[in-house]
Amino acid sequence: MTINLDAEAATREENNAALVAALDKAGLSEVESSWGLDVINDAEHGRWVAVLGADAIAELTYRFVGGRVVLLSTWVDHAYRNHRVATELVARVLNEIRESGKKITVICPVVGEFIARNPEYLDLIDKVHPGAGAYPQHKPAGGRATSSSPRSSTT
């Protein structure tokens, strides 16, 4: 079996774009999805899983590296998108990580966008190893990308 890396990357980017578009800008008091989800930490497989009844409908994969949690990617079943599932999953995972006292490195663009929209989670990002998805780039109407990073410019 041959793996088409370009096709896989395109599918992953399409998935991320759909999930980022579905993130809601409402306050965290309204973060719950349309269903009563359970979020389970499947540490053996390095993922938090959103479960509805007996069905796994979403997951956020992670790894532990150097005492911090590296958040890798978010996936939501197509049938459950646009129902705040990713928003609730990410919020509940970040709350659990906050309780553990650990910092995070963000690779997943969905998590980065969630934090950009909910800056009360910025303190969780490891300052030395923030990750490629930590501070999403936003393009203003004029063209040049700007970062939502709290870091100051040295130019």
Side-chain angles (χ1 to χ4, degrees):
M1 183 171 121
T2 304
I3 297 174
N4 184 334
L5 294 178
D6 290 334
E8 255 189 53
T11 300
R12 190 170 39 255
E13 283 194 30
E14 183 179 307
N15 178 52
N16 287 338
L19 292 176
V20 166
L23 287 177
D24 194 278
K25 294 182 183 179
L28 285 178
S29 61
E30 302 170 19
V31 74
E32 293 181 2
S33 66
S34 303
W35 298 282
L37 300 176
D38 289 319
V39 175
I40 300 164
N41 185 352
D42 178 5
E44 182 179 341
H45 294 103
R47 63 188 182 163
W48 277 277
V49 181
V51 179
L52 182 61
D55 298 323
I57 64 168
E59 70 178 39
L60 174 52
T61 58
Y62 69 93
R63 298 289 178 266
F64 288 111
V65 178
R68 64 189 187 284
V69 183
V70 180
L71 301 173
L72 300 170
S73 66
T74 302
W75 167 85
V76 175
D77 185 300
H78 287 283
Y80 297 96
R81 291 189 181 165
N82 299 312
H83 294 282
R84 304 177 60 92
V85 173
T87 303
E88 183 175 352
L89 174 62
V90 172
R92 289 174 64 180
V93 165
L94 293 177
N95 288 335
E96 185 175 323
I97 292 170
R98 183 184 303 283
E99 288 175 16
S100 75
K102 295 191 181 315
K103 294 291 184 184
I104 61 172
T105 295
V106 182
I107 303 301
C108 176
V110 176
V111 174
E113 280 292 333
F114 177 88
I115 293 173
R117 294 174 187 201
N118 298 280
E120 58 270 34
Y121 290 103
L122 279 169
D123 65 304
L124 291 175
I125 297 174
D126 186 278
K127 289 179 181 15
V128 176
H129 303 285
Y135 305 110
Q137 300 291 312
H138 296 280
K139 289 190 179 180
R144 242 182 96 178
T146 60
S147 173
S148 60
S149 170
R151 293 177 278 180
S152 60
S153 174
T154 57
T155 56

